[in-house]
Amino acid sequence: MDAPTTYFEHGTAAERWARAQLFFDAKEYVTAARILEGLVGEAPEQLAPRMLLARAYYHSAQLSRAERELRAVLERWPVEDYAQLMLGRTLERLGRAAEARPHLRMAAAMAGEFPE
């Protein structure tokens, strides 16, 4: 029996959400991601766990996973400006600046920042 996995999976969705946030706040991004993966699997229609999962992936340098999660978020919520920004930053970190530019421009426009 895998005790750490059992601990992470223990409790209600609300308890696991609170636990994931505590790990994220403590900069334990890999652990937070492990908890959030289960939550997102159970409730893929909820934005907050998906965004925190993408952030946990980003901060733990799991950039391909962050990109995949952010693209899934934007497919479901195309007006989520923070997801656009995060996707742009993720693509930049992956060395794909040209692919990042449209997402960064979209995030800026959605935030009301227009170049003069």
Side-chain angles (χ1 to χ4, degrees):
M1 183 164 134
D2 186 10
T5 302
T6 302
Y7 169 73
F8 295 138
E9 295 174 351
H10 180 72
T12 65
E15 291 167 339
R16 288 179 286 139
W17 169 247
R19 189 177 304 128
Q21 289 178 308
L22 288 173
F23 278 106
F24 186 89
D25 290 344
K27 298 183 187 322
E28 294 287 337
Y29 302 118
V30 173
T31 304
R34 287 176 58 189
I35 298 166
L36 290 162
E37 287 167 352
L39 287 172
V40 167
E42 290 172 26
E45 72 283 354
Q46 292 188 5
L47 176 61
R50 295 194 88 140
M51 287 299 296
L52 193 59
L53 177 58
R55 291 177 62 203
Y57 285 151
Y58 179 86
H59 288 300
S60 62
Q62 297 180 66
L63 300 177
S64 294
R65 287 181 174 178
E67 177 188 2
R68 184 178 61 244
E69 194 60 39
L70 290 163
R71 289 190 186 280
V73 165
L74 288 170
E75 184 175 308
R76 191 177 287 244
W77 297 279
V79 296
E80 182 58 42
D81 61 324
Y82 190 60
Q84 290 282 358
L85 176 65
M86 279 189 62
L87 181 55
R89 297 287 182 235
T90 300
L91 293 169
E92 284 180 332
R93 282 184 68 186
L94 286 166
R96 295 159 47 193
E99 197 176 336
R101 270 188 228 103
H103 296 286
L104 296 173
R105 281 195 307 264
M106 180 68 75
M110 292 170 123
E113 301 168 9
F114 299 101
E116 293 180 18

